[in-house]
Amino acid sequence: MIEITPSGQACGATVRGIDLSQPLAPEDVTSIREAWLQHHVLSFPDQRMTDDDLERFTLAFGGFGNDPFIAPVPGREHIIAVERQADETSPLFAENWHSDWSFQAQPPAGTCLYGIKIPPVGGDTLFANQHAALEAMPDALRGRIDGRMAIHSAKRAYAPDGFYGEGDKAKRSMDIRPSRDAEATQLHPMVRKHPETGREGLFSCFGYIIGIEGMDDTEAIPLLLELYQWQGREEFQYRHRWQPEMLLMWDNRSLLHAATGGYDGHHRLLHRTTIAASGA
């Protein structure tokens, strides 16, 4: 029987009583989805999963999302490796708040991440509840973003001259593929309703958001930076501590997340899939 234990923080819960190396019964998919929508990020400890198991779990909650700019692991189309070697010295991957691939026309609904090699220290993942961030936001700040469309792009990260561009990729164990395609833009509402729950929340943040439609950058960039500081405040956070053989799934429509370091000298390896948006 599935047992769900809330984290006691701004989001997050632990799920026990289910074996993810086996196909999920329809009622288990329903129970997990309900918990996912309620808690936004779920951890499943003590799961011995193969890549086949990870793909099957992902498909139980939607199709595969498209993962651009990072090559999949050999022999797979939909699994990427989030890896850092013990002697790696490049800046930490994904250490700033973001919502995965928010620059896509249909960003993924969720992300699944399975821990294969987990260091004994460090490497926590932070999550920030964007429903809570919107609900606690001062009226004056909300008034500046209501009805606004954000301009999303991957160019700061994955363009050839971006943070993970041509000058960076040779230093990493991750197989990142910078491209001019990263310079494309996409509009999304800054405040939007969750497509499954209807609850309003903030969507994405500075980094993948490069501007605000109809607003000069001299006004938009300071506003985006002010929002960034608000969105990641400690009272909206859940800090996830990893264990080997643990699966994590989170909702990109309601959360931001960020990696943390603190494990220099240790090899860290996780396999990741994305869950496509409904109808994608």
Side-chain angles (χ1 to χ4, degrees):
M1 182 176 177
I2 292 178
E3 176 187 334
I4 297 165
T5 306
S7 70
Q9 301 177 46
C11 53
T14 301
V15 182
R16 293 184 171 87
I18 192 163
D19 180 0
L20 301 185
S21 69
Q22 301 299 315
L24 294 174
E27 59 269 24
D28 292 332
V29 173
T30 298
S31 295
I32 292 169
R33 181 176 289 278
E34 288 175 352
W36 185 43
L37 294 175
Q38 179 181 354
H39 299 288
H40 313 293
V41 53
L42 301 178
S43 65
F44 300 80
D46 304 317
Q47 300 289 340
R48 303 197 67 174
M49 299 177 71
T50 65
D51 284 343
D52 285 341
D53 298 333
L54 177 59
E55 290 185 339
R56 184 179 61 248
F57 179 89
T58 305
L59 287 173
F61 296 93
F64 289 117
N66 174 38
D67 289 307
F69 311 122
I70 303 175
V73 300
R76 300 282 166 170
E77 290 185 46
H78 304 291
I79 296 176
I80 64 175
V82 178
E83 184 171 19
R84 187 175 179 86
Q85 296 291 342
D87 59 352
E88 199 162 325
T89 59
S90 58
L92 194 67
F93 180 74
E95 64 180 333
N96 296 313
W97 291 115
H98 62 287
S99 177
D100 284 335
W101 311 147
S102 72
F103 50 82
Q104 294 179 331
Q106 292 182 303
T111 301
C112 300
L113 193 59
Y114 179 68
I116 298 171
K117 292 184 180 296
I118 302 299
V121 294
D124 295 351
T125 303
L126 303 179
F127 294 89
N129 183 335
Q130 296 304 286
H131 295 307
L134 181 65
E135 289 162 5
M137 179 177 286
D139 290 342
L141 181 55
R142 176 157 183 174
R144 296 164 66 193
I145 64 171
D146 261 335
R148 291 283 189 176
M149 299 290 284
I151 304 167
H152 294 243
S153 176
K155 71 177 186 179
R156 287 196 187 117
Y158 296 106
D161 59 350
F163 189 77
Y164 303 118
E166 297 293 346
D168 175 79
K169 68 176 186 177
K171 306 171 189 174
R172 293 187 180 273
S173 47
M174 289 183 64
D175 193 356
I176 295 176
R177 306 286 177 87
S179 170
R180 290 289 178 196
D181 292 344
E183 297 171 358
T185 60
Q186 179 67 46
L187 294 176
H188 293 296
M190 299 184 75
V191 176
R192 68 175 196 169
K193 290 184 177 180
H194 191 288
E196 291 190 68
T197 67
R199 188 178 176 189
E200 283 191 327
L202 299 167
F203 180 61
S204 194
C205 64
F206 186 76
Y208 284 155
I209 296 179
I210 61 169
I212 299 173
E213 187 182 37
M215 186 181 291
D216 190 270
D217 280 352
T218 57
E219 182 182 358
I221 299 305
L223 175 55
L224 289 169
L225 289 170
E226 182 180 351
L227 278 171
Y228 185 87
Q229 294 301 318
W230 176 265
Q231 289 174 275
R233 287 167 66 111
E234 190 172 353
E235 58 262 40
F236 310 139
Q237 287 186 25
Y238 160 63
R239 176 180 285 268
H240 178 74
R241 290 180 168 84
W242 283 92
Q243 301 168 11
E245 299 182 341
M246 172 180 277
L247 178 72
L248 201 64
M249 70 180 299
W250 66 83
D251 191 335
N252 284 299
R253 303 162 297 185
S254 59
L255 297 174
L256 300 178
H257 63 282
T260 69
Y263 54 92
D264 288 351
H266 296 279
H267 182 204
R268 187 172 186 265
L269 174 64
L270 305 95
H271 277 187
R272 195 183 94 169
T273 58
T274 56
I275 303 169
S278 299

